[in-house]
């Protein structure tokens, strides 16, 4: 039985998928139906500190606030910790800070579970490999498997039943010019979470049957775009991939539409700017906000159109 050390702390970046993960072949193990590819957000993410405490229960603190263990994030954290310890072992305090603007609708579960996994590995001195850390982080949230790494990251589906080959790996290529803009449009409307949303899509949307083929083709194109540093191929593929994923969501029953009027207006603005010659693309996850994709030389023009944009340069040293 592993005994915890005095305390451990770790950071993991948030990530944005260019080829999305949507749909599980195993719900308990978070095994995906398709491979995905993301870019990590550098300094934006979660820092988690773990320390053993006296008492019968864990204590989960998120951005300075003690969380109820009854449901939501804290309940997921406790069941995640239980995977790595014996019932009688000391309870833990989990203190997590996200420096991700919460209103931007960026899921903090990816960076949160990746940081937690890294901290668990340190606290118990497990000495897990990066691949093992990624496969275990996946059990907290699928996209957390990718947040173990920096830069471009691919999460391979794997074929094993135990999921230990379903982990992410970093790509060698860097792209210093690459920019992601976080566009906060609305903090309105608490939406259906990705877990429930994926299940509904897989269970009810006939259109979903085309998704694995779309994702496989897009993954190949994104690899090619990164290899050739072909920004327009990358942007176009990522945008079409996101819209294809949303098409399967909309074709679910009851319908799953994450878009708000502001989302559609922003998409049309991106298309209008592209029409005028600006190489600007977007991607979207399970929420109403857009993430813009562009290159450093176009940052001024993009900021002029979207003054509130928060720009991230994932490949530039801080
Ligand atoms: O792993 P989850 O539950 O955070 O699901 C992520 C789903 C999307 O954000 C929509 C796509 C992705 O690959 O990140």
């Amino acid at each position: 039985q592993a005994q915890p050390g005095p305390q451990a702390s770790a950071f993991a970046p948030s990530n944005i998928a260019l080829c999305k993960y949507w749909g599980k072949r195993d719900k308990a193990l978070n095994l995906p139906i398709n491979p995905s590819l993301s870019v990590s957000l550098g300094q934006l993410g979660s820092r988690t500190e773990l320390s053993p405490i006296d008492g019968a229960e864990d204590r989960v603190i998120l951005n300075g606030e003690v969380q109820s263990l009854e449901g939501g994030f804290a309940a997921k954290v406790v069941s995640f910790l239980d995977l790595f310890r014996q019932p009688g072992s000391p309870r833990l305090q989990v203190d997590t800070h996200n420096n991700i603007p919460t209103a931007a609708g960026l899921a903090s579960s990816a960076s949160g579970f990746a940081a937690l996994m890294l901290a668990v590995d340190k606290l118990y001195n497990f000495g897990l490999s990066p691949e093992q850390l990624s496969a275990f982080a996946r059990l907290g949230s699928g996209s957390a498997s990718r947040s173990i790494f920096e830069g471009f990251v691919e999460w391979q589906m794997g074929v094993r039943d135990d999921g230990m080959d379903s982990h992410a790996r970093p790509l060698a290529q860097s792209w210093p010019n690459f920019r992601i803009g976080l566009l906060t449009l609305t903090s309105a409307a608490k939406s259906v979470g990705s877990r429930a949303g994926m299940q509904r899509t897989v269970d009810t949307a006939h259109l979903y049957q085309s998704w694995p083929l779309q994702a496989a083709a897009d993954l190949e194109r994104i690899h090619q775009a990164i290899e050739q540093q072909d920004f327009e191929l990358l942007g176009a593929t990522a945008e079409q991939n996101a819209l294809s994923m949303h098409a399967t969501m909309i074709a679910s029953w009851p319908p799953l539409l994450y878009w708000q009027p502001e989302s559609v207006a922003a998409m049309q603005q991106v298309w209008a700017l592209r029409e005028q010659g600006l190489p600007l693309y977007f991607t979207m996850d399970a929420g109403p906000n857009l993430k813009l994709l562009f290159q450093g030389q176009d940052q001024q023009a993009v900021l002029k159109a979207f003054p509130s944009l928060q720009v991230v340069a994932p490949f530039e040293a801080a």
Side-chain angles (χ1 to χ4, degrees), residues 15 17 19-22 36 107 109 141-144 146 194-195 198 245 285-286:
N15 76 77
C19 179
K20 307 291 183 187
Y21 148 55
W22 197 249
S36 55
S109 62
S141 159
S143 54
R146 300 185 308 237
S194 53
R195 194 172 293 238
M198 281 185 205
M245 174 182 74
D285 295 299

Side-chain angles (χ1 to χ4, degrees), residues 167-210:
H167 57 73
R169 65 177 181 94
L171 305 192
Q173 296 97 336
S174 138
W175 195 326
N177 219 5
F178 189 79
R179 298 288 180 276
I180 293 185
L182 308 176
L183 187 60
T184 306
L185 296 165
T186 165
S187 47
K190 177 104 187 77
S191 51
V192 178
S194 53
R195 194 172 293 238
M198 281 185 205
Q199 172 139 19
R200 190 190 297 179
T201 310
V202 173
D203 289 348
T204 68
H206 289 295
L207 196 60
Y208 183 77
Q209 288 175 22
S210 68

